[in-house]
Amino acid sequence: MDFDWPDDDDPRRVAVRDWLDDHDGNPSQEALAHAGYVAPHWPKPYGLEADPITQLLIDEELASAGVKRLAGGIGLGWAGPTIIYGGDQAQMDRYLWPILTGEEVWCQLFSEPDSGSDLANLATRAVRDGDRYIVNGSKIWSSGAHRSKFGILIARTDPDVPKHRGVSYFICPMDTPGLELRPIIDMTTAYSFNQTFFTDMELPVENRIGDENDGWRLAKVTLGNERVSLSGEGALWGSGPSAADLLDVVRSAGGLSDPVLRDRAAKLHIEGEVLRLIRLRTLSARLQGRQPGPEASVRKALADDHGQHVMTLAKDLSGAHGLLADTGPLGTSPQFPKTQAVVEGWNGWHGGYLFSPALTIGGGTSEVQRNIIAERVLGLPHDVDVESGKTWAEARSALA
């Protein structure tokens, strides 16, 4: 396979440059959205149905022109693809354009305090009552929920079937009466997480995506896209600095004389290249019309460890000064060379280092990712399921 990029005069590059010239090099977010440049891989009219190479060329040309796309995060990476996959036309028309323009921010309401990594064991209930559902329960680690207009919510609609079969998928307006947020402050001192409580919260039936009790299938689509979204080039779930950014800092400071540190820097470069190539493989799946598969778990499992390696080396390169918050590696700026942070507390090397232990937990723990790889890629036997053959309610009562 040839991993070289198309030439500088490739027609796809030229088309983006001409479009930028027509917008004086400073297009609005709305113009980017309607041109299909915010999510080029999405179907028309929301995107361009672009193949992976075209997507990357568009990204490269916009970056070279200094054009930033404001839309992103959970709405663009997770909610949007799931609505496209399982939503009806009315839902796509209502929700996709505001995601693309960045007008409406989304959060994810999946994890629960008592479910741990067994997401399918969720206990939040949504009981059908005519043309509405009554929701009761709690979610945790709701990133950015306090800044969000909507959340993607999975809740149990049938407790009398096995746990994977009685789940439904909903769009939840975050200002709905009966929804309460409680802040969770992490050790970066940032308020980025929440615990979310639902007390007799009402959701209309039209806020359900797909069929009742078919939510787990849609949740797997979301989780697959989540693992892709959390595995971008940045060390912190696709945001913040990359290994290449840190190595640029090292070069600009004159390099490293310590052989152990040089070896660690070389390993970072190798890891970054492996992840880049796996990313191309994931994008190729999109070209063939497939949703992200086990390769997304492979990349996330590698990317999480890699992100910790990047931030740990950056801190170690600060030496004794690394005890202070306002220092960077090798005496350089405490800020990232490319600040693409999306969560408070990530705007500098110190905050990124403090946050990095969370990488192997959020979005599916490394242990869960490795189980997926073992079973779906390597063909190893599944873990013994003591709940096999039981309904969710029966399995739950056995724990009481």
Side-chain angles (χ1 to χ4, degrees):
M1 181 175 178
D2 183 1
F3 293 106
D4 291 331
W5 295 124
D7 293 335
D8 192 59
D9 60 353
D10 186 281
R12 292 167 292 185
R13 293 186 184 275
V14 174
V16 178
R17 292 175 197 158
D18 289 344
W19 183 87
L20 288 170
D21 287 341
D22 291 341
H23 291 78
D24 299 322
N26 187 29
S28 66
Q29 183 69 24
E30 186 174 359
L32 286 165
H34 285 280
Y37 289 157
V38 174
H41 59 290
W42 284 14
K44 296 178 180 179
Y46 312 104
L48 299 174
E49 300 177 3
D51 62 74
I53 297 300
T54 302
Q55 293 176 51
L56 294 172
L57 293 181
I58 292 170
D59 289 350
E60 192 171 273
E61 290 300 322
L62 294 180
S64 296
V67 174
K68 295 183 178 180
R69 292 170 286 192
L70 301 180
I74 290 170
L76 189 68
W78 311 346
T82 306
I83 293 171
I84 290 172
Y85 182 78
D88 57 34
Q89 189 61 50
Q91 290 170 332
M92 287 190 281
D93 290 343
R94 164 59 187 88
Y95 297 109
L96 295 184
W97 285 117
I99 287 175
L100 292 169
T101 60
E103 296 173 62
E104 294 176 349
V105 178
W106 289 64
C107 65
Q108 179 173 287
L109 304 170
F110 275 27
S111 298
E112 297 193 1
D114 296 330
S115 296
S117 294
D118 186 10
L119 178 60
N121 202 29
L122 62 94
T124 295
R125 291 291 312 278
V127 179
R128 180 78 177 261
D129 180 17
D131 61 355
R132 61 180 183 168
Y133 287 89
I134 309 299
V135 182
N136 285 277
S138 177
K139 301 290 182 176
I140 201 163
W141 310 122
S142 307
S143 302
H146 53 297
R147 300 188 303 271
S148 298
K149 175 82 170 179
F150 297 102
I152 44 177
L153 166 69
I154 53 175
R156 188 161 304 283
T157 43
D158 187 351
D160 298 319
V161 294
K163 60 185 179 182
H164 293 90
R165 288 169 47 196
V167 174
S168 296
Y169 198 116
F170 299 93
I171 296 171
C172 177
M174 296 304 291
D175 59 356
T176 304
L179 186 155
E180 176 192 355
L181 294 178
R182 295 183 188 174
I184 298 175
I185 309 300
D186 65 35
M187 71 176 177
T188 70
T189 72
Y191 170 23
S192 56
F193 299 115
N194 302 267
Q195 185 166 3
T196 308
F197 296 88
F198 311 101
T199 304
D200 293 331
M201 183 186 75
E202 298 182 10
L203 285 179
V205 171
E206 57 263 30
N207 279 38
R208 189 189 70 223
I209 300 178
D211 296 332
E212 186 171 280
N213 298 325
D214 192 34
W216 185 250
R217 181 174 65 92
L218 297 177
K220 289 195 294 183
V221 173
T222 300
L223 293 172
N225 281 286
E226 175 184 36
R227 289 158 192 158
V228 173
S229 298
L230 294 183
S231 301
E233 292 184 7
L236 301 170
W237 285 336
S239 296
S242 65
D245 293 327
L246 177 58
L247 295 178
D248 285 343
V249 170
V250 171
R251 293 187 191 97
S252 66
L256 299 171
S257 58
D258 184 283
V260 175
L261 293 177
R262 287 172 62 90
D263 183 63
R264 288 173 62 186
K267 287 180 179 178
L268 275 190
H269 172 72
I270 294 169
E271 290 175 359
E273 282 298 290
V274 169
L275 288 167
R276 182 179 69 85
L277 297 178
I278 296 176
R279 181 175 180 232
L280 291 177
R281 181 179 177 183
T282 304
L283 289 172
S284 295
R286 296 292 188 86
L287 176 61
Q288 300 169 23
R290 295 186 286 111
Q291 291 294 322
E295 67 272 11
S297 291
V298 172
R299 192 170 196 281
K300 184 179 187 300
L302 294 174
D304 290 342
D305 287 340
H306 175 67
Q308 292 177 349
H309 297 162
V310 170
M311 302 313 299
T312 301
L313 179 58
K315 179 60 76 172
D316 289 347
L317 292 176
S318 301
H321 293 285
L323 294 171
L324 305 176
D326 58 348
T327 59
L330 300 174
T332 58
S333 169
Q335 302 302 312
F336 296 146
K338 293 181 180 177
T339 301
Q340 301 170 1
V342 293
V343 175
E344 300 91 340
W346 293 7
N347 61 347
W349 291 107
H350 180 73
Y353 171 77
L354 291 180
F355 190 88
S356 63
L359 299 177
T360 50
I361 301 173
T365 67
S366 291
E367 290 76 15
V368 168
Q369 307 306 330
R370 285 169 170 76
N371 277 349
I372 293 172
I373 295 164
E375 295 170 2
R376 300 185 190 175
V377 179
L378 302 179
L380 298 178
H382 288 252
D383 285 343
V384 176
D385 185 0
V386 297
E387 298 176 351
S388 179
K390 296 180 180 180
T391 68
W392 176 84
E394 290 170 342
R396 197 79 173 183
S397 62
L399 296 175

